[in-house]
PDB file of all heavy atoms in Angstrom:
ATOM      1  N   SER C 235     -91.225 -81.281  30.204  1.00 87.00           N
ATOM      2  CA  SER C 235     -91.787 -81.422  28.858  1.00 87.00           C
ATOM      3  C   SER C 235     -93.063 -82.243  28.861  1.00 87.00           C
ATOM      4  O   SER C 235     -93.943 -82.066  28.021  1.00 87.00           O
ATOM      5  CB  SER C 235     -90.755 -82.044  27.916  1.00 87.00           C
ATOM      6  OG  SER C 235     -89.693 -81.155  27.664  1.00 87.00           O
ATOM      7  N   ALA C 236     -93.186 -83.145  29.828  1.00 87.00           N
ATOM      8  CA  ALA C 236     -94.392 -83.990  29.916  1.00 87.00           C
ATOM      9  C   ALA C 236     -95.581 -83.214  30.402  1.00 87.00           C
ATOM     10  O   ALA C 236     -96.712 -83.693  30.333  1.00 87.00           O
ATOM     11  CB  ALA C 236     -94.139 -85.185  30.823  1.00 87.00           C
ATOM     12  N   GLN C 237     -95.362 -81.985  30.919  1.00 87.00           N
ATOM     13  CA  GLN C 237     -96.482 -81.129  31.338  1.00 87.00           C
ATOM     14  C   GLN C 237     -96.744 -80.010  30.341  1.00 87.00           C
ATOM     15  O   GLN C 237     -97.379 -79.020  30.666  1.00 87.00           O
ATOM     16  CB  GLN C 237     -96.204 -80.538  32.737  1.00 87.00           C
ATOM     17  CG  GLN C 237     -96.181 -81.577  33.842  1.00 87.00           C
ATOM     18  CD  GLN C 237     -96.159 -80.942  35.215  1.00 87.00           C
ATOM     19  OE1 GLN C 237     -96.997 -80.099  35.559  1.00 87.00           O
ATOM     20  NE2 GLN C 237     -95.219 -81.371  36.048  1.00 87.00           N
ATOM     21  N   ALA C 238     -96.291 -80.192  29.116  1.00 82.00           N
ATOM     22  CA  ALA C 238     -96.569 -79.215  28.068  1.00 82.00           C
ATOM     23  C   ALA C 238     -97.975 -79.419  27.554  1.00 82.00           C
ATOM     24  O   ALA C 238     -98.211 -80.187  26.618  1.00 82.00           O
ATOM     25  CB  ALA C 238     -95.540 -79.341  26.923  1.00 82.00           C
ATOM     26  N   ILE C 239     -98.961 -78.719  28.153  1.00 75.00           N
ATOM     27  CA  ILE C 239    -100.358 -78.981  27.862  1.00 75.00           C
ATOM     28  C   ILE C 239    -101.083 -77.734  27.336  1.00 75.00           C
ATOM     29  O   ILE C 239    -102.309 -77.703  27.249  1.00 75.00           O
ATOM     30  CB  ILE C 239    -101.092 -79.505  29.101  1.00 75.00           C
ATOM     31  CG1 ILE C 239    -101.000 -78.483  30.269  1.00 75.00           C
ATOM     32  CG2 ILE C 239    -100.539 -80.862  29.526  1.00 75.00           C
ATOM     33  CD1 ILE C 239    -101.806 -78.892  31.497  1.00 75.00           C
ATOM     34  N   TYR C 240    -100.321 -76.692  26.952  1.00 73.00           N
ATOM     35  CA  TYR C 240    -100.945 -75.478  26.487  1.00 73.00           C
ATOM     36  C   TYR C 240    -100.621 -75.121  25.028  1.00 73.00           C
ATOM     37  O   TYR C 240    -100.670 -73.968  24.640  1.00 73.00           O
ATOM     38  CB  TYR C 240    -100.562 -74.305  27.402  1.00 73.00           C
ATOM     39  CG  TYR C 240    -101.218 -74.356  28.747  1.00 73.00           C
ATOM     40  CD1 TYR C 240    -100.464 -74.575  29.890  1.00 73.00           C
ATOM     41  CD2 TYR C 240    -102.584 -74.218  28.884  1.00 73.00           C
ATOM     42  CE1 TYR C 240    -101.054 -74.641  31.145  1.00 73.00           C
ATOM     43  CE2 TYR C 240    -103.197 -74.285  30.110  1.00 73.00           C
ATOM     44  CZ  TYR C 240    -102.431 -74.488  31.257  1.00 73.00           C
ATOM     45  OH  TYR C 240    -103.042 -74.551  32.475  1.00 73.00           O
ATOM     46  N   HIS C 241    -100.290 -76.172  24.219  1.00 68.00           N
ATOM     47  CA  HIS C 241     -99.985 -75.886  22.824  1.00 68.00           C
ATOM     48  C   HIS C 241    -101.150 -75.227  22.099  1.00 68.00           C
ATOM     49  O   HIS C 241    -100.971 -74.401  21.201  1.00 68.00           O
ATOM     50  CB  HIS C 241     -99.622 -77.207  22.098  1.00 68.00           C
ATOM     51  CG  HIS C 241     -98.324 -77.782  22.526  1.00 68.00           C
ATOM     52  ND1 HIS C 241     -98.037 -79.115  22.500  1.00 68.00           N
ATOM     53  CD2 HIS C 241     -97.194 -77.182  23.030  1.00 68.00           C
ATOM     54  CE1 HIS C 241     -96.777 -79.326  22.944  1.00 68.00           C
ATOM     55  NE2 HIS C 241     -96.277 -78.175  23.282  1.00 68.00           N
ATOM     56  N   TRP C 242    -102.368 -75.555  22.502  1.00 58.00           N
ATOM     57  CA  TRP C 242    -103.572 -75.055  21.833  1.00 58.00           C
ATOM     58  C   TRP C 242    -103.744 -73.543  22.014  1.00 58.00           C
ATOM     59  O   TRP C 242    -104.503 -72.908  21.290  1.00 58.00           O
ATOM     60  CB  TRP C 242    -104.804 -75.765  22.315  1.00 58.00           C
ATOM     61  CG  TRP C 242    -104.957 -75.873  23.789  1.00 58.00           C
ATOM     62  CD1 TRP C 242    -104.480 -76.866  24.607  1.00 58.00           C
ATOM     63  CD2 TRP C 242    -105.592 -74.938  24.667  1.00 58.00           C
ATOM     64  NE1 TRP C 242    -104.785 -76.613  25.919  1.00 58.00           N
ATOM     65  CE2 TRP C 242    -105.465 -75.444  26.008  1.00 58.00           C
ATOM     66  CE3 TRP C 242    -106.259 -73.728  24.477  1.00 58.00           C
ATOM     67  CZ2 TRP C 242    -105.977 -74.769  27.098  1.00 58.00           C
ATOM     68  CZ3 TRP C 242    -106.767 -73.083  25.559  1.00 58.00           C
ATOM     69  CH2 TRP C 242    -106.640 -73.590  26.872  1.00 58.00           C
ATOM     70  N   ARG C 243    -103.020 -72.924  22.967  1.00 59.00           N
ATOM     71  CA  ARG C 243    -103.125 -71.471  23.106  1.00 59.00           C
ATOM     72  C   ARG C 243    -101.836 -70.769  22.797  1.00 59.00           C
ATOM     73  O   ARG C 243    -101.562 -69.653  23.227  1.00 59.00           O
ATOM     74  CB  ARG C 243    -103.634 -71.087  24.492  1.00 59.00           C
ATOM     75  CG  ARG C 243    -102.693 -71.317  25.657  1.00 59.00           C
ATOM     76  CD  ARG C 243    -103.339 -70.874  26.970  1.00 59.00           C
ATOM     77  NE  ARG C 243    -102.404 -70.821  28.061  1.00 59.00           N
ATOM     78  CZ  ARG C 243    -102.756 -70.675  29.315  1.00 59.00           C
ATOM     79  NH1 ARG C 243    -104.014 -70.588  29.645  1.00 59.00           N
ATOM     80  NH2 ARG C 243    -101.827 -70.620  30.266  1.00 59.00           N
ATOM     81  N   GLY C 244    -100.960 -71.446  22.056  1.00 61.00           N
ATOM     82  CA  GLY C 244     -99.734 -70.808  21.547  1.00 61.00           C
ATOM     83  C   GLY C 244     -98.468 -71.092  22.302  1.00 61.00           C
ATOM     84  O   GLY C 244     -97.403 -70.651  21.913  1.00 61.00           O
ATOM     85  N   ALA C 245     -98.582 -71.823  23.432  1.00 61.00           N
ATOM     86  CA  ALA C 245     -97.390 -72.131  24.217  1.00 61.00           C
ATOM     87  C   ALA C 245     -96.512 -73.137  23.439  1.00 61.00           C
ATOM     88  O   ALA C 245     -96.985 -73.882  22.593  1.00 61.00           O
ATOM     89  CB  ALA C 245     -97.762 -72.680  25.585  1.00 61.00           C
ATOM     90  N   LYS C 246     -95.245 -73.155  23.796  1.00 64.00           N
ATOM     91  CA  LYS C 246     -94.292 -73.990  23.063  1.00 64.00           C
ATOM     92  C   LYS C 246     -93.285 -74.584  24.079  1.00 64.00           C
ATOM     93  O   LYS C 246     -92.783 -73.875  24.943  1.00 64.00           O
ATOM     94  CB  LYS C 246     -93.542 -73.137  22.041  1.00 64.00           C
ATOM     95  CG  LYS C 246     -92.488 -73.861  21.248  1.00 64.00           C
ATOM     96  CD  LYS C 246     -91.778 -72.881  20.302  1.00 64.00           C
ATOM     97  CE  LYS C 246     -90.634 -73.545  19.536  1.00 64.00           C
ATOM     98  NZ  LYS C 246     -89.929 -72.583  18.692  1.00 64.00           N
ATOM     99  N   ASP C 247     -93.019 -75.881  23.944  1.00 70.00           N
ATOM    100  CA  ASP C 247     -91.984 -76.483  24.775  1.00 70.00           C
ATOM    101  C   ASP C 247     -90.623 -76.169  24.168  1.00 70.00           C
ATOM    102  O   ASP C 247     -90.227 -76.713  23.141  1.00 70.00           O
ATOM    103  CB  ASP C 247     -92.185 -78.001  24.812  1.00 70.00           C
ATOM    104  CG  ASP C 247     -91.090 -78.742  25.570  1.00 70.00           C
ATOM    105  OD1 ASP C 247     -90.327 -78.061  26.300  1.00 70.00           O
ATOM    106  OD2 ASP C 247     -90.940 -79.962  25.425  1.00 70.00           O
ATOM    107  N   VAL C 248     -89.907 -75.256  24.807  1.00 78.00           N
ATOM    108  CA  VAL C 248     -88.646 -74.756  24.248  1.00 78.00           C
ATOM    109  C   VAL C 248     -87.448 -75.592  24.765  1.00 78.00           C
ATOM    110  O   VAL C 248     -86.312 -75.324  24.438  1.00 78.00           O
ATOM    111  CB  VAL C 248     -88.407 -73.292  24.566  1.00 78.00           C
ATOM    112  CG1 VAL C 248     -89.552 -72.460  24.051  1.00 78.00           C
ATOM    113  CG2 VAL C 248     -88.216 -73.057  26.067  1.00 78.00           C
ATOM    114  N   MET C 249     -87.726 -76.617  25.583  1.00 83.00           N
ATOM    115  CA  MET C 249     -86.641 -77.324  26.246  1.00 83.00           C
ATOM    116  C   MET C 249     -85.988 -78.371  25.345  1.00 83.00           C
ATOM    117  O   MET C 249     -84.755 -78.495  25.347  1.00 83.00           O
ATOM    118  CB  MET C 249     -87.173 -78.009  27.505  1.00 83.00           C
ATOM    119  CG  MET C 249     -87.755 -77.050  28.529  1.00 83.00           C
ATOM    120  SD  MET C 249     -88.101 -77.854  30.111  1.00 83.00           S
ATOM    121  CE  MET C 249     -86.430 -78.167  30.675  1.00 83.00           C
TER     122      MET C 249
END
Side-chain angles (χ1 to χ4, degrees):
S235 291
Q237 293 191 51
I239 59 174
Y240 288 113
H241 290 152
W242 50 269
R243 71 180 191 191
K246 178 183 176 183
D247 176 16
V248 303
M249 300 190 68

